[in-house]
Amino acid sequence: MSGDGPRLSEEGLIARHFAPLAGPGADGLRDDAASLSPTPGHDLVVTVDAVVAGVHYFPDDPPASVAAKALGVNLSDLAAKGAAPRGFLLTLALAPDWTEDWLAAFARGLGEAAALHGCPLLGGDTVRAAGPTLISVTAFGEVPAGGIVRRGTARAGDLICVSGTIGDAAIGLRLRLESKTAWARALRPEDRAHLADRYLHPRPRLALASAIRRFATAAMDVSDGLAGDLAKMLPGLMGRIETAAVPLSAAACAAIRLEPALMEPALTGGDDYEILCTVAPDDLDAFRAQAAAAGVPVTSIGTVAAGEGAPVFRGPDGAERRFPRGSFSHF
Amino acid sequence: MSGDGPRLSEEGLIARHFAPLAGPGADGLRDDAASLSPTPGHDLVVTVDAVVAGVHYFPDDPPASVAAKALGVNLSDLAAKGAAPRGFLLTLALAPDWTEDWLAAFARGLGEAAALHGCPLLGGDTVRAAGPTLISVTAFGEVPAGGIVRRGTARAGDLICVSGTIGDAAIGLRLRLESKTAWARALRPEDRAHLADRYLHPRPRLALASAIRRFATAAMDVSDGLAGDLAKMLPGLMGRIETAAVPLSAAACAAIRLEPALMEPALTGGDDYEILCTVAPDDLDAFRAQAAAAGVPVTSIGTVAAGEGAPVFRGPDGAERRFPRGSFSHF
């Protein structure tokens, strides 16, 4: 059972690295299933998302960051549904060249993210992958019975809101892929760091769950880009967005000033993990106030209009633009 | 959106092949999460297991069989915990050479298995895999509050029981790998078919869940081989098995008569997906009666003894045997 000797068995790896993360009902990960006692009067909200090395993250990303992203993208879905996290299950398919050091750092990062968000590990499965490492997380949350906030339930006339800032992660990804370009080199180091961090570390907006439940007529998280996700959220309707109202970070603004073409990936690129939701106009002030009290800025960026089609982004000059290619797809 | 044209988007594939499988709370798979209303007074039982092409199944297995196995191995875990199924989530990582025909047949098989076991699809994620196809299923079940049956709670003096027959799948796998050997060719076609089918199609013992909850002091399913799983179930204790009592199918008996060395894989090979459990001696008759009423034969094969170590298998000649290499591991 020594780390210097031959590889541990699956049970040995679990006992060493993952059992310390186990929450109530997980029986120390010594069983093949976990027990979860629902809060009376509540529904479970369940979601699963996988991240794959070379598709959703860079194989040389820090293992703790990979772990935080794998959990975070799922907690982001819970937040968008108005749910509070209860626990998660992990499927870990390890590439042939995995090392125990990588696994140990991954498990530590996973434990820190789980503790930060109050979402303990309940169980999992570890398998060999002949290809790249794949991490699939199933997250469980709770809402008061009947309280899940759906994606496709917006009404014409609702206002469209987003949390935080949009486009940081997409520009952060460009920065990583195009670090030698003029705009990348001209950016201040602190702006580069901010954008890179936003790509690497999604911040699930769990603090917003209660306000979403109270005010949102529909909600989802922005994982595949604002333009494409808006289209998904509004089947049979059309989003009309004021491009100048889309909240940008100072770092994203600086990058777009240096390279105006970055506005497009900011609006269509993935990995924001902000909340996209709709509220009745009369509720906007109360929604913003409750969100602010929870520490999350929300911004109204447009309206839901009757009619079908890709969302329309209207620029400061009045010119209208659509992004027909839709969103970035990880598939 | 035509199957003859370019590949569908992820959303198009889901709408075409998986939405017809969606259960209540899944919102037609048009949302990023599902809602599950727990039965009052019940706990959720949650489990996840992945199957990988080339590791857990043959890449050329029928897609419907792969689907039934991916769901079945998880339902087998629910059964062993005494739980009734409520639904499942699917992570599908598709190898680069996937075809829509394969996916369509997979989804049909998945739907049939889900309907058979009353366990609807609640959601999922589809990603590209640069390696072999991987299918991870998270299954949800329910037990009356506090009713989950654990794996490590057997007591010295308990009787060890198994459902159905042991070793069919392991011999079926050998048959597939060694189809040209003398024993394989000498087997009757119906015996070959039985053994091959048992490898390909796990039969989760959900009908036994209620009897397990009522009588078992500990339970798990036999997925990695009887000998190794017994060792896992009895930490700090020792299983003493009468080898002649281990229930074998007529087909497995015939194979072992032709090739006595097959007794070892029968006891140590994986993929039985039968229930392994312990009961107090006074409860054996009632347990067997309730199991029989549920249509599942159960057999007492030995006892839990004090002392630690690999389980001991005593042959008809009184000779004792251990299998120190433990169980087959998919990892």
Side-chain angles (χ1 to χ4, degrees):
Chain A
M1 297 283 279
S2 157
D4 305 311
R7 282 183 172 179
L8 285 174
S9 68
E10 183 181 0
E11 284 75 29
L13 288 169
I14 290 167
R16 180 181 291 176
H17 299 295
F18 292 104
L21 282 60
D27 198 24
L29 306 185
R30 290 179 303 266
D31 204 340
D32 302 311
S35 173
L36 184 65
S37 300
T39 306
H42 285 63
D43 288 340
L44 266 287
V45 174
V46 297
T47 186
V48 65
D49 263 318
V51 297
V52 179
V55 180
H56 305 84
Y57 68 90
F58 290 86
D60 62 348
D61 281 345
S65 300
V66 175
K69 181 175 276 195
L71 182 60
V73 302
N74 282 282
L75 297 182
S76 179
D77 279 325
L78 291 187
K81 303 293 101 186
R86 284 294 310 270
F88 72 103
L89 298 175
L90 171 72
T91 298
L92 185 56
L94 289 167
D97 61 350
W98 70 276
T99 65
E100 198 176 337
D101 283 349
W102 188 93
L103 196 70
F106 175 86
R108 273 196 306 274
L110 191 64
E112 284 163 16
L116 177 66
H117 300 300
C119 188
L121 179 64
L122 296 181
D125 190 24
T126 311
V127 295
R128 282 187 288 128
T133 292
L134 174 149
I135 303 141
S136 177
V137 167
T138 304
F140 310 100
E142 280 187 339
V143 290
I148 189 170
V149 180
R150 286 302 190 185
R151 187 170 90 175
T153 43
R155 303 158 303 196
D158 285 346
L159 298 177
I160 298 167
C161 297
V162 293
S163 65
T165 57
I166 293 294
D168 293 327
I171 299 175
L173 173 60
R174 285 290 183 100
L175 199 54
R176 192 139 165 196
L177 297 170
E178 305 169 15
S179 61
K180 303 279 169 63
T181 55
W183 69 267
R185 295 160 72 128
L187 265 185
R188 295 185 309 164
E190 54 266 44
D191 288 338
R192 279 205 298 270
H194 172 85
L195 297 166
D197 182 70
R198 289 273 282 154
Y199 171 73
L200 211 49
H201 298 124
R203 297 177 302 193
R205 293 298 195 177
L206 290 163
L208 207 55
S210 164
I212 292 167
R213 231 168 34 239
R214 186 155 165 214
F215 295 110
T217 55
M220 68 185 298
D221 69 334
V222 188
S223 54
D224 293 338
L226 178 62
D229 284 341
L230 254 177
K232 279 188 222 164
M233 191 171 70
L234 301 174
L237 294 166
M238 195 173 60
R240 300 194 70 89
I241 304 298
E242 298 294 327
T243 305
V246 175
L248 300 176
S249 69
C253 270
I256 291 167
R257 270 208 316 276
L258 289 163
E259 175 49 272
L262 289 171
M263 193 66 204
E264 177 162 344
L267 297 177
T268 63
D271 292 314
D272 290 302
Y273 299 106
E274 295 289 357
I275 300 293
L276 172 64
C277 65
T278 53
V279 298
D282 286 351
D283 286 336
L284 179 64
D285 290 343
F287 176 53
R288 291 181 57 164
Q290 188 177 336
V296 182
V298 296
T299 308
S300 167
I301 61 171
T303 54
V304 180
E308 204 158 354
V312 173
F313 287 76
R314 196 171 72 140
D317 57 357
E320 298 196 335
R321 187 152 181 213
R322 293 168 188 253
F323 300 96
R325 278 171 306 169
S327 64
F328 175 71
S329 174
H330 287 121
F331 181 66
Chain B
M1 298 284 279
S2 157
D4 305 312
R7 282 181 174 181
L8 284 174
S9 67
E10 184 181 0
E11 285 75 30
L13 287 171
I14 290 167
R16 180 181 292 175
H17 299 296
F18 293 105
L21 284 58
D27 199 25
L29 306 185
R30 289 179 304 266
D31 203 340
D32 301 311
S35 173
L36 184 66
S37 300
T39 306
H42 284 63
D43 288 340
L44 266 287
V45 174
V46 297
T47 187
V48 65
D49 263 318
V51 298
V52 179
V55 180
H56 304 85
Y57 67 90
F58 290 86
D60 62 348
D61 282 345
S65 300
V66 175
K69 180 175 277 194
L71 182 59
V73 303
N74 282 283
L75 297 182
S76 179
D77 279 325
L78 291 186
K81 303 293 101 184
R86 282 294 309 271
F88 72 103
L89 298 174
L90 172 73
T91 298
L92 185 55
L94 288 167
D97 61 352
W98 71 275
T99 65
E100 198 177 337
D101 283 348
W102 188 93
L103 196 70
F106 175 86
R108 272 196 306 275
L110 191 64
E112 284 163 16
L116 177 66
H117 299 299
C119 188
L121 179 64
L122 297 180
D125 190 25
T126 310
V127 296
R128 281 188 289 129
T133 292
L134 174 149
I135 304 141
S136 177
V137 166
T138 303
F140 311 100
E142 280 187 341
V143 289
I148 189 172
V149 180
R150 287 301 190 185
R151 189 170 87 175
T153 43
R155 303 159 302 197
D158 285 347
L159 298 178
I160 298 168
C161 297
V162 293
S163 66
T165 58
I166 293 295
D168 293 327
I171 298 175
L173 174 59
R174 286 291 182 101
L175 198 56
R176 191 138 165 195
L177 297 171
E178 306 169 15
S179 62
K180 303 278 168 62
T181 54
W183 69 267
R185 295 160 72 125
L187 265 184
R188 295 185 310 163
E190 54 265 44
D191 289 337
R192 279 204 298 270
H194 171 85
L195 296 166
D197 182 70
R198 288 273 281 155
Y199 171 74
L200 210 50
H201 298 122
R203 297 177 301 193
R205 294 296 196 178
L206 290 162
L208 207 56
S210 165
I212 292 167
R213 232 169 34 240
R214 187 157 165 213
F215 294 110
T217 56
M220 68 185 298
D221 70 332
V222 188
S223 54
D224 293 339
L226 178 62
D229 284 341
L230 254 177
K232 279 189 222 162
M233 191 170 71
L234 301 174
L237 293 166
M238 194 174 61
R240 301 194 69 89
I241 304 297
E242 299 293 329
T243 304
V246 174
L248 300 176
S249 70
C253 271
I256 291 168
R257 271 209 314 277
L258 289 164
E259 175 49 90
L262 289 171
M263 193 66 204
E264 178 162 343
L267 297 177
T268 63
D271 292 314
D272 288 304
Y273 299 106
E274 295 289 356
I275 300 294
L276 172 64
C277 66
T278 53
V279 297
D282 286 351
D283 285 336
L284 179 65
D285 289 345
F287 176 53
R288 291 181 58 165
Q290 188 177 335
V296 182
V298 296
T299 308
S300 168
I301 61 170
T303 56
V304 179
E308 205 158 352
V312 173
F313 287 75
R314 197 171 73 139
D317 57 357
E320 296 195 336
R321 186 151 182 214
R322 291 167 189 255
F323 299 97
R325 280 170 304 169
S327 64
F328 175 71
S329 174
H330 288 120
F331 180 65

